[in-house]
Structures are given as structure tokens and as C-alpha cells.
């Protein structure tokens, strides 16, 4: 069975693209693609053409999640594996591959109705990433874009699906208060994906947060300064996680879901890794803040 090897890209519909643009450029230094198609805003943060796509829309919602596989052969094996398990698989048309800037892709519906795109061959840009402000940059490459945390109406079944269909492995669990979170990896990054039970307004399939990992603690610290100086609403103050040991802070995006900006995430060696259980998400900090008005 072939496996996905990293979080490739993410797409979301947004009601306030201008505020999003301010956030992504001012705080995270992302580069807006000048060649984005109409009604679409693609953002770059490393050597790939883009990894984030925002669609102007009537609601704020996760649109798609892209998972990478290493080869065209792996993509074909993945398509066959999904089909054999009764999952409808659609081949991505050339125009969509062009839009996503990948060689080839398939599309399926994951649990909780998450539009899942599996691709190989992300388009590299010949020109270097030009961040909107000076920075050390993002820790992507073989570790992928970062991680996402989604709510699921049935986390146990959903986790089983991702392990058996896409080849994820269990990292660990954190259960605290009334939240139960399961963390999964598909490369050495401690987790590329995690699921929680529905929390607050989040229903199954809703995005809780996207994590971007910096190459330096200084970028995260400077980002914290920028967030404070620009009144970007914090969702959680600077803190450190128990399980992946990332030092990070979280902000509310204009869509309500969060972005975590972190540094120093643990890496997993599957040869020796034993899944663990934690009863708290933080070693220190990470104080929850109320949503903005
Ligand atoms: Fe996170």
C-alpha cells in the first residue's frame, strides 16, 4: 500500500480576503502569487509555487486538503487502494492540476466530508521565495507544509480511515478537559494531522488550526512582536506543547479558525517510536484568549 508523505497544501473559502492578505503578509511574511487565477489568492512560503489558496466566498470554510505522495506509481496504487475499499476516486482534470500546480492528482471524500486531494509532483518555482519581510523561512521540504487539526464527528472511525486508507501512523493522544485529540504522522514531523471531538462551534470537518513551522525561534518571536504591535487577536499566548515540544503561539484568522506559528517540533523515528498518552497539551504558556468581537 502506498502512503501519503506530507501535507502539501490547503484551500479555504474566506469572506474577508483583504484582512486575510494583511495577516498572511504582515505576520507570516508570505508571498502572494501575482499569477493567481481570478477570485483566488494563492500564497507561497517556500520553493513550491504555492501552498495556500483562499477563495473569495460567502462563508468561511475549509475547501480542500492536499496530501503528497512521492511518485506517480504511488498515486496509482493509492487510487486503486481507495477504489478497492469502496471509496469513489476522481482523477484531477489537467486544468485543476495546473491550478494546484501539481503534475497529477486524485480527489476523494474523506470522513466528515473533507475534500481530500492526493497528488504527486508539486511545481517548483525557479525564482526563490521572496518573503514580504525579512525572515529565516519555513521548515517544510520533506516534512510538508505543517500540520492541520480537524474536528470529527466520530474521531475513532476517522483516525482508522486515515491510517488504513492514506497510511498515517499514530503519534500519540492528548485528552484534557472535554477534549480528546489524536495525533497522526506521515513523515518524521511529529504530526501532520490531528483530530478532536467537536469542540464549541466546530463540527466534524471543520478546521481547528493550521500550523506553520519556522526555521528559527527568532522568526516566531518576531512574529509574536508583530502580532502584538498590530493587534492581531491571539487565540493562545506563547507556550510549549507537551507532545511535540513545539514552542508556538496561535492567532484567530479572519475566518475564525486559528494559525499556530511554531518552532522546534519533535521528529519521529518509526523504528523506535512508541505512541504515548498525555493529559495536558502544554508545558507552559498557551493561555486561551477569547475570540475578537
Ligand atoms: Fe498544533
Amino acid at each position: 500500500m502506498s502512503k501519503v508523505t506530507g501535507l502539501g497544501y490547503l484551500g479555504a473559502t474566506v469572506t474577508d480576503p483583504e484582512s486575510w492578505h494583511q495577516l498572511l503578509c504582515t505576520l507570516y511574511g508570505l508571498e502572494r502569487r501575482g499569477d493567481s487565477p481570478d477570485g483566488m489568492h494563492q500564497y507561497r512560503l517556500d520553493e513550491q509555487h504555492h501552498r495556500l489558496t483562499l477563495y473569495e466566498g460567502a462563508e468561511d470554510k475549509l475547501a480542500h486538503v492536499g496530501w503528497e505522495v512521492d511518485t506517480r506509481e504511488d498515486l496509482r496504487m493509492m487510487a486503486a487502494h481507495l477504489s478497492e475499499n469502496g471509496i469513489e476516486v476522481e482523477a484531477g482534470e489537467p486544468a485543476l492540476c495546473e491550478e494546484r500546480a501539481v503534475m497529477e492528482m486524485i480527489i476523494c471524500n474523506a470522513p466528515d466530508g473533507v475534500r481530500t486531494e492526493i497528488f504527486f509532483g508539486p511545481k517548483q518555482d525557479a525564482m526563490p521565495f521572496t518573503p514580504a519581510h525579512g525572515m529565516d523561512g519555513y521548515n517544510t521540504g520533506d516534512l510538508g507544509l505543517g500540520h492541520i487539526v480537524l474536528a470529527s464527528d466520530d474521531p475513532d472511525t476517522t483516525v482508522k480511515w486515515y491510517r488504513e486508507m492514506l497510511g498515517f501512523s499514530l503519534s500519540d493522544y492528548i485528552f484534557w478537559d472535554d477534549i480528546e485529540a489524536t495525533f497522526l504522522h506521515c513523515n518524521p514531523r511529529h504530526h501532520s494531522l490531528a483530530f478532536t471531538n467537536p469542540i464549541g462551534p466546530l463540527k466534524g470537518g471543520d478546521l481547528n488550526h493550521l500550523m506553520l513551522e519556522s526555521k528559527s525561534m527568532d522568526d516566531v518571536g518576531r512574529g509574536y512582536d508583530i502580532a502584538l504591535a498590530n493587534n492581531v487577536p491571539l487565540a493562545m499566548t506563547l507556550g510549549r506543547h507537551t507532545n511535540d515540544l513545539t514552542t508556538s503561539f496561535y492567532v484567530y484568522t479572519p475566518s475564525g479558525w486559528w494559525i499556530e506559528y511554531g518552532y522546534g517540533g519533535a521528529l519521529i523515528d518509526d523504528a523506535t517510536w512508541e505512541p504515548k498518552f498525555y493529559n495536558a497539551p502544554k508545558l507552559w504558556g498557551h493561555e486561551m484568549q477569547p475570540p475578537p468581537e
Side-chain angles (χ1 to χ4, degrees):
M1 165 188 163
S2 69
K3 300 176 173 196
V4 300
T5 54
L7 177 62
Y9 56 78
L10 194 77
T13 56
V14 305
T15 55
D16 187 355
E18 190 45 44
S19 295
W20 261 101
H21 179 67
Q22 289 300 325
L23 176 70
L24 293 180
C25 295
T26 306
L27 205 168
Y28 301 104
L30 300 198
E31 178 185 344
R32 188 187 207 159
R33 297 290 324 188
D35 54 355
S36 303
D38 279 349
M40 207 179 286
H41 307 276
Q42 295 170 329
Y43 288 88
R44 178 178 183 192
L45 55 82
D46 61 7
E47 68 284 2
Q48 294 192 16
H49 179 272
H50 69 276
R51 284 185 183 268
L52 283 180
T53 303
L54 304 180
Y55 302 89
E56 298 180 27
E59 59 175 351
D60 290 286
K61 200 166 171 34
L62 178 64
H64 61 255
V65 180
W67 296 104
E68 184 169 359
V69 293
D70 282 339
T71 66
R72 178 174 271 162
E73 182 58 24
D74 285 339
L75 189 63
R76 298 206 169 132
M77 282 162 54
M78 179 67 74
H81 178 64
L82 291 166
S83 296
E84 281 158 17
N85 283 277
I87 295 153
E88 214 173 295
V89 177
E90 186 190 327
E93 295 295 328
L96 185 61
C97 293
E98 176 73 24
E99 190 181 301
R100 297 286 191 267
V102 300
M103 288 290 290
E104 202 170 304
M105 63 188 283
I106 58 172
I107 302 132
C108 71
N109 210 8
D112 300 298
V114 175
R115 179 184 165 101
T116 297
E117 302 181 350
I118 303 159
F119 70 94
F120 100 94
K123 193 163 120 188
Q124 311 295 302
D125 198 307
M127 295 301 289
F129 167 50
T130 309
H133 57 74
M135 63 192 315
D136 294 312
Y138 289 93
N139 192 19
T140 55
D142 290 345
L143 300 179
L145 167 61
H147 72 235
I148 53 171
V149 177
L150 299 166
S152 174
D153 291 328
D154 182 358
D156 290 346
T157 304
T158 299
V159 164
K160 185 170 186 286
W161 190 93
Y162 279 88
R163 294 180 72 178
E164 293 179 355
M165 295 302 115
L166 303 191
F168 279 88
S169 299
L170 181 64
S171 302
D172 46 37
Y173 305 94
I174 311 179
F175 288 8
W176 77 105
D177 299 335
D178 53 357
I179 301 168
E180 299 189 356
T182 305
F183 297 81
L184 301 171
H185 63 276
C186 61
N187 60 44
R189 188 189 292 287
H190 174 278
H191 59 282
S192 294
L193 178 64
F195 291 98
T196 69
N197 50 314
I199 309 165
L202 296 184
K203 307 177 302 299
D206 285 345
L207 185 59
N208 175 295
H209 72 267
L210 163 69
M211 188 276 259
L212 300 175
E213 187 175 34
S214 173
K215 284 180 178 165
S216 77
M217 190 65 239
D218 289 335
D219 272 3
V220 176
R222 289 184 195 111
Y224 203 57
D225 284 348
I226 292 168
L228 296 175
N230 289 274
N231 295 314
V232 177
L234 293 181
M236 278 200 260
T237 60
L238 194 69
R240 195 169 189 213
H241 282 304
T242 48
N243 63 343
D244 70 354
L245 300 174
T246 295
T247 302
S248 63
F249 70 96
Y250 293 66
V251 305
Y252 288 99
T253 70
S255 293
W257 51 269
W258 308 343
I259 294 179
E260 176 184 10
Y261 193 19
Y263 171 73
L267 299 177
I268 285 179
D269 175 358
D270 272 317
T272 55
W273 185 255
E274 305 244 1
K276 299 173 190 69
F277 173 84
Y278 298 87
N279 59 6
K282 61 179 186 180
L283 293 168
W284 52 267
H286 281 164
E287 290 300 326
M288 280 282 300
Q289 305 297 308
E293 291 297 308

